Amino acid sequence: MPVLSEPRLQIVLLHPEIPNNTGAIGRTAAATGCRLHVVHPIGFDMGESARRRAGLDYWHLVDCVEHGSWDAFVASEGLARPRSHVWLYSTKAVRPHWEASFGAGDYLLFGCETTGPPEAVRRWAGEERSVTLPMIDEPAARSLNLANAVCAAVYEGLRQLATA
């Protein structure tokens, strides 16, 4: 897997559960020069044989770093404090993501598909670093697909980086 010396943005998946979403997000990361961080536990096997069975023939292009836990991720990335380069995406946030000011190498942090980010992570990020992809006020439309949300977030970040 290639290692990007300076990724444009960094995508962080906390406890992903659906392998197809992670595969699609990996393709987005590879195509946009972003690094993908996968934080365990996860709901599927990411071993090479599982990737081959899933037809992820592009995975060798993905700069993917796996972390054993949330604490391991925070420690290895030096994010204990300050968190000024982290943006937490959550349906519970009120600030639309286009009001955030993204910088090169920023972390775009996403929770798992069924529950979103854990409460402890939401507290860690804080309201000022939490953003949302606005949706209509219809409870049945509860959230976007994770892969779609990541793609929207990445391209807004890239748009901002291109005009900075």
Side-chain angles (χ1 to χ4, degrees):
M1 290 182 214
V3 175
L4 302 169
S5 60
E6 294 185 34
R8 296 166 85 189
L9 295 166
Q10 305 199 54
I11 303 163
V12 184
L13 303 181
L14 282 172
H15 320 301
E17 300 169 328
I18 302 172
N20 292 359
N21 283 338
T22 300
I25 293 164
R27 185 177 291 256
T28 296
T32 58
C34 296
R35 178 169 293 141
L36 174 61
H37 297 268
V38 177
V39 180
H40 288 253
I42 63 176
F44 51 90
D45 179 12
M46 279 190 56
E48 187 171 338
S49 61
R51 289 194 309 266
R52 268 197 314 273
R53 278 193 310 275
L56 301 179
D57 58 338
Y58 57 85
W59 199 256
H60 66 284
L61 301 173
V62 180
D63 179 3
C64 181
V65 180
E66 292 186 55
H67 302 274
S69 67
W70 168 252
D71 291 337
F73 164 73
V74 169
S76 71
E77 296 301 306
L79 297 173
R81 300 268 186 227
R83 303 171 308 279
S84 62
H85 297 291
V86 178
W87 295 99
L88 173 65
Y89 278 76
S90 171
T91 59
K92 292 179 174 42
V94 295
R95 182 181 183 190
H97 81 136
W98 51 75
E99 289 183 4
S101 295
F102 297 101
D106 277 5
Y107 295 83
L108 310 180
L109 176 59
F110 297 85
C112 75
E113 291 91 340
T114 57
T115 61
E119 179 60 33
V121 173
R122 287 199 305 271
R123 281 193 311 273
W124 176 87
E127 190 174 313
E128 69 281 358
R129 304 303 296 177
S130 297
V131 294
T132 191
L133 294 168
M135 299 181 301
I136 62 170
D137 187 17
E138 170 54 56
R142 62 189 184 277
S143 65
L144 295 171
N145 169 276
L146 180 61
N148 293 336
V150 169
C151 193
V154 165
Y155 276 95
E156 173 60 18
L158 295 178
R159 183 194 68 77
Q160 287 187 25
L161 293 177
T163 59

